[in-house]
Amino acid sequence: MRGFIIGRFQPFHKGHLEVIKKISKEVDEIIIGIGSAQKSHTLENPFTAGERILMITQTLKNYDITYYPIPIKDIEFNSIWVSYVESLTPPFNIVYSGNPLVRVLFEERGYIVKKPEMFNRKEYSGTEIRRRMLNGEKWEHLVPKAVVEVIKEINGVERLKKLSQTDKI
Ligand code: ATP
Ligand code: MG
């Protein structure tokens, strides 16, 4: 059995890790779709697909989980989106998502769609982590250690802060 999960992973955090660990007990292999793969260098999507893949591979090195990270660009064409995803990924049997649009699109195509439970959603949230990075608050404990290292390596916090500056005087 192969499962599919999609996220933007901006950045990959402990909530993502928990859900992937949980799914790995239900399926043999996991396809991890890196959504909005073309986006980077914005406040909502600061990290490139390659940087996000690095966060995931460096973290999952420490776990015995078989997975395939697949970058998936936005196509803004919901009615063919499932076929588009299928054209990029290995075949899969189950979809894990809490996102209503993703759920509807896969269900209409006959997939079993499961809703993963949320872990500490208040803090294990990309939006919250990016907010903390911008405000100089502690964020490191909300992501796996390997992700702290990747974000340091690419000067991620500095990038985010620069992106938030304005060109007005
Ligand atoms: P953002 O605030 O930038 O949208 P996010 O934390 O929602 O970031 P996404 O990359 O949008 O992260 O998440 C993709 C998927 O990962 C979600 O649809 C959800 O299924 C799962 N997920 C996110 N946060 C958690 C969490 N704390 N616990 C369990 N699953 C989570
Ligand atoms: Mg989200």
Side-chain angles (χ1 to χ4, degrees):
M1 286 278 264
R2 232 171 267 122
F4 175 77
I5 181 166
I6 186 159
R8 286 179 302 107
F9 308 114
Q10 294 281 11
F12 185 77
H13 56 61
K14 285 184 177 173
H16 298 132
L17 177 58
E18 283 308 313
V19 85
I20 284 170
K21 277 160 62 181
K22 189 100 189 276
I23 294 173
S24 74
K25 298 201 170 76
E26 296 181 16
V27 295
D28 308 299
E29 301 186 337
I30 307 176
I31 294 150
I32 304 178
I34 320 277
S36 298
Q38 84 284 8
K39 292 191 181 164
S40 72
H41 296 82
T42 71
L43 291 176
E44 291 279 293
N45 296 282
F47 308 117
T48 66
E51 290 163 348
R52 290 177 270 160
I53 287 175
L54 197 56
M55 294 175 198
I56 292 168
T57 52
Q58 296 292 79
T59 301
L60 295 184
K61 250 206 272 196
N62 304 314
Y63 297 85
D64 184 23
I65 296 174
T66 304
Y67 67 96
Y68 307 91
I70 311 279
I72 298 176
K73 289 187 255 184
D74 297 328
I75 53 166
E76 313 282 351
F77 202 154
N78 291 337
S79 60
I80 59 167
W81 187 73
V82 170
S83 309
Y84 165 67
V85 170
E86 287 169 336
S87 78
L88 298 172
T89 63
F92 51 90
N93 322 86
I94 305 186
V95 175
Y96 293 87
S97 179
N99 180 293
L101 174 62
V102 172
R103 292 176 61 85
V104 167
L105 295 178
F106 277 110
E107 276 166 4
E108 285 186 5
R109 296 293 296 266
Y111 279 94
I112 300 165
V113 181
K114 290 195 177 179
K115 196 175 197 159
E117 84 180 89
M118 286 290 179
F119 299 89
N120 183 13
R121 182 59 173 157
K122 251 180 137 173
E123 293 186 306
Y124 292 170
S125 140
T127 302
E128 171 64 11
I129 292 165
R130 295 191 302 275
R131 188 195 65 75
R132 285 172 179 245
M133 287 174 166
L134 272 178
N135 290 341
E137 295 173 33
K138 282 208 172 74
W139 56 272
E140 291 88 342
H141 61 297
L142 304 178
V143 304
K145 271 205 179 69
V147 173
V148 177
E149 294 306 315
V150 171
I151 290 174
K152 268 196 197 143
E153 179 190 337
I154 63 176
N155 285 324
V157 176
E158 202 181 330
R159 179 190 296 169
L160 203 56
K161 285 182 176 164
K162 282 185 188 163
L163 291 169
S164 75
Q165 288 168 5
T166 157
D167 60 0
K168 298 198 187 88
I169 301 167

